[in-house]
Amino acid sequence: MIAFLQENSVYSLKDGIGECEATVQIYVGEKENQSMKKSAKIIHEKLQDSFIKVLPNMYHGEFSINHADDYVRKLLEIVK
């Protein structure tokens, strides 16, 4: 756990991320800690054509775990 937390605290985006041509959708829970929200905002700012959505009343990972039907529906929309 200590190694995991240490790695998370020193991670930084690669310089070339702004060259990404993929359409990226970023989802972050409204109840996530501020560092996760900040990271989502930074990624969104670095990726020109990205989309960011704050999921109301959700914590980290809750979209895919507790709302799996909605999550899969969203994934299917994306890949169509």
Side-chain angles (χ1 to χ4, degrees):
M1 184 63 146
I2 292 169
F4 172 77
L5 293 171
Q6 286 174 333
E7 286 301 312
N8 271 352
S9 67
V10 297
Y11 179 80
S12 62
L13 291 174
K14 306 289 184 251
D15 291 336
I17 193 159
E19 299 169 18
C20 175
E21 295 180 7
T23 302
V24 176
Q25 294 191 21
I26 303 158
Y27 294 88
V28 63
E30 177 185 48
K31 293 183 176 181
E32 293 203 45
N33 66 45
Q34 290 302 314
S35 65
M36 292 301 287
K37 292 180 192 177
K38 182 179 176 185
S39 293
K41 184 178 177 186
I42 290 169
I43 293 168
H44 175 59
E45 290 170 353
K46 297 277 185 180
L47 296 170
Q48 295 284 336
D49 294 325
S50 66
F51 165 88
I52 189 168
K53 172 137 177 94
V54 177
L55 301 169
N57 298 313
M58 288 195 200
Y59 292 98
H60 185 74
E62 190 171 346
F63 186 35
S64 60
I65 295 171
N66 295 343
H67 303 275
D69 290 344
D70 294 333
Y71 180 74
V72 170
R73 198 172 301 113
K74 181 52 72 179
L75 287 174
L76 291 173
E77 283 177 25
I78 291 168
V79 297
K80 282 185 181 180

